[in-house]
Amino acid sequence: MVTSRWTAAPARAASSRRRGVVLERAILDAALDQLGTVGWNGLTMEGVAAGAQTGKAAVYRRWPSKEDLVADALRAGLPRLDAVPDLGSVREDLLALTRRARDAMYSRPGFALRSIIHECDPNQAERFHALILEGVVEPTVQLLREVIRRGIERGEVRSDAANGYVLDAVPAMMMYRSKMCGSEWGDREIEEMIDQFMLPLLRPDAG
């Protein structure tokens, strides 16, 4: 029992010394972990505090509500989608972009985001609508637009393909099959989607 008491003390002391951005980062990480394991409905401020090895008061001082905490955790944790490399063909560009989207979906922030989308009631979900649009949807659509624009310039893609329905196709398909079919979007399934769905939709003779 003596050993246990003395080994626990340094851990408490180390936790109590954390301040500022270090403690905030630990709390945000714990919130993402909670979302990925127990989901939106199971997440509590007490559970987040325990995961961050801090007191509940430290969480509430920074975030007065669960919604505030989760919004900041997602802002800090969502992967940044920057430019897709130009690999010389619309097929290779689409494969590269879709693999990155898949990796983002199955990252810790990706699991957290999906728990919000699937579990929040409409009023709660509205709180995260702009965050999801700005952090996930709009960057992905912009990169898809760039890939399609390149394909049009190469003559691989029909000239009217850069429209909202086409740009929504990959994100919508990935979300639908993930939720309804349990798809984890392995590399083979991504290739099949590009070859059997997107390329026929995009090629010049499709219209």
Side-chain angles (χ1 to χ4, degrees):
M1 294 300 294
V2 172
T3 302
S4 174
R5 185 172 64 250
W6 282 101
T7 54
R12 288 195 299 270
S15 176
S16 66
R17 285 196 297 270
R18 291 180 303 168
R19 295 288 187 272
V21 295
V22 175
L23 179 56
E24 289 179 4
R25 180 73 261 179
I27 294 170
L28 294 174
D29 285 344
L32 291 178
D33 285 339
Q34 285 272 302
L35 284 167
T37 54
V38 302
W40 169 264
N41 291 328
L43 182 144
T44 64
M45 302 293 261
E46 293 81 357
V48 171
Q53 297 183 327
T54 190
K56 183 172 65 173
V59 180
Y60 276 109
R61 275 198 302 271
R62 292 162 174 82
W63 296 279
S65 72
K66 171 174 161 176
E67 289 80 4
D68 292 324
L69 171 59
V70 168
D72 278 356
L74 289 174
R75 287 190 190 95
L78 284 172
R80 301 292 183 258
L81 294 176
D82 51 16
V84 177
D86 188 346
L87 301 176
S89 74
V90 69
R91 181 181 188 272
E92 294 305 315
D93 290 350
L94 284 171
L95 286 172
L97 177 56
T98 307
R99 289 184 186 119
R100 288 179 56 194
R102 181 269 317 276
D103 293 344
M105 281 178 65
Y106 289 94
S107 67
R108 182 177 59 169
F111 278 113
L113 182 62
R114 284 189 288 150
S115 78
I116 291 168
I117 293 171
H118 295 164
E119 296 179 37
C120 281
D121 64 39
N123 290 333
Q124 292 170 328
E126 184 64 27
R127 172 71 184 273
F128 300 104
H129 183 72
L131 189 154
I132 294 168
L133 278 178
E134 295 168 8
V136 179
V137 176
E138 290 176 356
T140 302
V141 168
Q142 284 299 108
L143 294 179
L144 281 167
R145 190 186 303 277
E146 174 64 15
V147 167
I148 291 173
R149 183 192 63 78
R150 291 176 190 166
I152 292 171
E153 291 177 353
R154 296 189 194 108
E156 298 177 275
V157 174
R158 57 191 175 86
S159 60
D160 63 345
N163 64 71
Y165 293 105
V166 172
L167 294 172
D168 283 345
V170 168
M173 178 69 75
M174 293 185 76
M175 290 299 293
Y176 170 79
R177 291 183 68 88
S178 174
K179 183 174 182 178
M180 302 304 295
C181 308
S183 171
E184 295 186 359
W185 289 104
D187 287 347
R188 180 176 178 181
E189 191 171 7
I190 287 174
E191 290 181 9
E192 289 175 349
M193 177 179 66
I194 299 304
D195 290 337
Q196 298 176 23
F197 176 56
M198 286 303 294
L199 292 183
L201 179 65
L202 295 173
R203 67 170 60 106
D205 62 356

